[in-house]
Amino acid sequence: VQLVESGGGLVQPGGSLKLSCVASGFTFSDSWMSWVRQAPGKGLEWVTSIAPDGGRAEYADSVNGRFAVSRDNAENTVVLQMNSLKSEDAARYYCARAKLTGYVPPQLTRGQGTQVTVSS
């Protein structure tokens, strides 16, 4: 399993960012994919999960209505569009081959992550 995230950066509160994750080493089109994040000094927090066919997605309450997840199975890519960013969204974001609905196991296999900083 290889997961490579990109797209992080510095954004002002209220701004937007789009994160991407390219996956390889497994059958992407058969896999639920998730985004999780980790802020400094905190544990892993589930953000969103998307079904293998992209027809269903679930979001943490903290991002519901502001973030949108999508996937392109032809490109083995999952994308997280983040809008109306808040300071509390600042974290390192990871994608993972997993179906999550809250609890994130510390040993979750994930990529190297991409850093999102929200600051004016």
Side-chain angles (χ1 to χ4, degrees):
V1 173
Q2 187 169 18
L3 303 158
V4 180
E5 301 94 339
S6 62
L10 172 64
V11 63
Q12 293 185 343
S16 299
L17 273 179
K18 184 169 75 172
L19 307 183
S20 296
C21 170
V22 179
S24 61
F26 62 97
T27 305
F28 181 80
S29 58
D30 288 346
S31 302
W32 276 80
M33 296 297 295
S34 294
W35 285 93
V36 301
R37 65 188 182 186
Q38 187 168 29
K42 297 189 176 181
L44 290 168
E45 178 190 10
W46 172 66
V47 175
T48 182
S49 296
I50 185 168
D53 66 356
R56 176 181 161 195
E58 298 171 357
Y59 298 90
D61 289 344
S62 59
V63 306
N64 197 23
R66 300 187 296 120
F67 290 12
V69 64
S70 61
R71 64 191 295 161
D72 182 342
N73 286 347
E75 298 292 333
N76 281 15
T77 300
V78 58
V79 172
L80 182 65
Q81 177 67 47
M82 305 187 297
N83 300 321
S84 302
L85 282 161
K86 306 176 181 180
S87 58
E88 52 262 44
D89 294 318
R92 193 161 191 87
Y93 283 71
Y94 303 90
C95 69
R97 179 195 183 194
K99 180 182 180 182
L100 303 169
T101 54
Y103 172 70
V104 181
Q107 71 275 19
L108 180 72
T109 298
R110 56 194 187 273
Q112 85 289 347
T114 186
Q115 185 68 39
V116 171
T117 303
V118 183
S119 175
S120 55

